[in-house]
Amino acid sequence: MKTFPAAPAAHIDRLLTDVTDLLDRQLPPGYARALRAVPRHLFLPDRLWLRDGEGGYRPCDRPANPDEWLTAAYTDTPLVTRFTDGLPSSSASMPSMVLRTLLLAGIGDTTGGAGPRRPARRGTPGSALP
């Protein structure tokens, strides 16, 4: 079994706090365990593009600035991973948005999320399946 380097616990703790504050609720235990277990930084390229505070982006490279890069990897913000024709064209999703989507879908949440919704029947807009 291959093991992966974990993110510093402080980064994960801060991300969990930020997400919990934004969602205004405690995360189901399985979600929190997943955030702790899956090293987000391993799914990111060596170059990220971060907001520069002036409406644009600036590069942040793992080899040149590993501390800033790792901190960015564990912030609750979408991370631009590619530019095409001068515009952002790919990103790593904002963690709270992913978790909000899972909560709304009721996936893996046994604590009373909104639950999955049934698709409407064909020909009867808005009606739920029995």
Side-chain angles (χ1 to χ4, degrees):
M1 180 173 168
K2 188 173 182 179
T3 58
F4 300 100
H11 287 344
I12 296 171
D13 290 343
R14 182 181 37 81
L15 178 59
L16 279 167
T17 297
D18 291 348
V19 167
T20 300
D21 289 348
L22 184 70
L23 296 177
D24 198 29
R25 67 172 281 188
Q26 286 297 110
L27 291 175
Y31 289 12
R33 279 193 307 275
L35 278 179
R36 290 187 185 286
V38 178
R40 186 172 195 243
H41 63 282
L42 295 180
F43 295 92
L44 298 172
D46 283 345
R47 172 170 279 182
L48 300 173
W49 297 89
L50 308 177
R51 289 284 189 173
D52 65 6
E54 298 176 13
Y57 294 88
R58 64 179 179 76
C60 178
D61 294 317
R62 183 188 334 215
N65 198 341
D67 292 336
E68 181 185 29
W69 185 93
L70 188 62
T71 297
Y74 288 91
T75 58
D76 188 35
T77 185
L79 298 170
V80 174
T81 58
R82 182 179 304 144
F83 270 77
T84 303
D85 297 328
L87 297 171
S89 59
S90 185
S91 66
S93 298
M94 183 176 182
S96 63
M97 185 58 67
V98 173
L99 292 167
R100 181 186 309 269
T101 301
L102 293 171
L103 287 167
L104 288 171
I107 297 172
D109 177 12
T110 59
T111 62
R117 297 208 171 119
R118 294 182 183 174
R121 279 191 200 186
R122 238 184 180 171
T124 55
S127 64
L129 293 174

